[in-house]
């Protein structure tokens, strides 16, 4: 995919995600997990032949780690509530600021590498889909964990044309397990810890 087209698509996707999440929407695990995973796979295919030196690989790994960290932080700032018996997610001002920081960091790192070593910058500049996909995936995992731990019902995907929402038995099992852990008495494993000390 060419650079300008990729940038326009990513800006459009991020803007669409921001508008929907600023208005608030039901939490859909498929949207939070599958779509970012697809972005990661496409992004990995984009950079697979472009990263040719250890320097460009280091920049790519660094920007990917920063994207994941910012995604985790964004996930921690998303407001989660209950509407119509399902988890409802909404971006906060801090979430939007973290998105803008993510975009600025990506642009800054690409510019720095281009200034430092222009021949290596191509691989990093082609990593937009990969790094944003990783960040959105990290954000989605944190939001899903928080929603499930908070006892909110998370649907797999929203039904279309009046059809009921689809749920996931895997998500339901994870939620039950998280609820079980939270109900354990405070000192339930104190004895085994002492045995190991």
């Amino acid at each position: 995919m060419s650079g300008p087209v990729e940038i326009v698509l990513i800006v459009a996707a991020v803007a669409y995600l921001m508008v929907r999440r600023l208005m608030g929407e039901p939490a859909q695990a498929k949207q939070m997990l599958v779509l970012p995973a697809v972005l990661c796979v496409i992004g990995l295919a984009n950079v697979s032949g472009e990263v040719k030196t250890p320097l460009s690989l280091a920049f790519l790994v660094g920007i990917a780690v920063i994207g994941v960290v910012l995604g985790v932080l964004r996930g921690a700032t998303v407001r989660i509530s209950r509407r119509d018996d399902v988890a409802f997610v909404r971006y906060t001002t801090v979430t939007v600021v973290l998105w803008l920081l993510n975009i600025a960091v990506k642009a800054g790192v690409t510019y720095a590498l281009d200034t430092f070593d222009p021949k290596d910058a191509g691989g990093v500049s082609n990593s937009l889909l990969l790094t944003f996909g990783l960040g959105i995936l990290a954000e989605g995992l944190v939001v899903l964990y928080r929603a499930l731990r908070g006892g909110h019902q998370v649907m797999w995907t929203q039904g279309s044309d009046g059809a009921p929402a689809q749920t996931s038995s895997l998500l339901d099992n994870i939620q039950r397990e998280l609820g079980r852990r939270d109900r354990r008495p405070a000192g339930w494993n104190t004895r085994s810890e002492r045995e190991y000390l």
Side-chain angles (χ1 to χ4, degrees):
M1 187 180 296
S2 63
V5 173
E6 184 177 7
I7 290 170
V8 169
L9 288 175
I10 290 172
V11 168
V14 169
Y16 176 74
L17 178 70
M18 279 186 164
V19 169
R20 284 188 60 153
R21 296 272 170 88
L22 279 169
M23 294 181 344
E25 65 180 350
Q28 299 178 62
K30 182 176 182 180
Q31 183 185 57
M32 293 181 179
L33 300 176
V34 175
L35 297 177
V38 169
L39 285 179
C40 291
V41 169
I42 294 170
L44 197 55
N46 280 352
V47 299
S48 62
E50 299 293 325
V51 179
K52 297 179 172 83
T53 66
L55 179 63
S56 60
L57 179 62
F59 269 87
L60 178 61
V61 169
I63 195 67
V65 168
I66 291 169
V68 168
V69 168
L70 288 172
V72 168
L73 293 174
R74 283 194 315 267
T77 65
V78 171
R79 185 175 295 126
I80 303 171
S81 59
R82 185 184 307 247
R83 285 197 190 169
D84 301 325
D85 294 326
V86 296
F88 192 81
V89 295
R90 176 178 259 163
Y91 274 0
T92 63
T93 304
V94 176
T95 315
V96 174
V97 168
L98 287 169
W99 258 116
L100 295 174
L101 179 63
N102 193 355
I103 293 166
V105 166
K106 174 65 178 162
V109 167
T110 303
Y111 178 75
L113 183 58
D114 190 37
T115 302
F116 186 69
D117 193 355
K119 70 178 184 346
D120 287 331
V124 175
S125 66
N126 286 340
S127 68
L128 282 171
L129 285 175
L130 175 63
T131 56
F132 281 125
L134 287 170
I136 294 169
L137 183 61
E139 175 188 323
L141 287 169
V142 170
V143 170
L144 287 175
Y145 174 79
R146 289 179 55 221
L148 292 172
R149 182 139 192 210
H152 301 292
Q153 174 68 44
V154 176
M155 66 179 102
W156 175 248
T157 187
Q158 193 168 14
S160 60
D161 297 329
Q166 295 177 6
T167 58
S168 164
S169 58
L170 176 63
L171 291 174
D172 293 342
N173 289 337
I174 292 170
Q175 188 169 34
R176 274 193 291 279
E177 183 59 32
L178 289 171
R180 237 182 257 130
R181 284 188 200 162
D182 289 343
R183 286 191 297 269
R184 289 181 180 154
W188 72 273
N189 64 353
T190 308
R191 183 174 174 194
S192 60
E193 286 178 1
R194 287 185 187 144
E195 289 173 3
Y196 292 109
L197 294 177

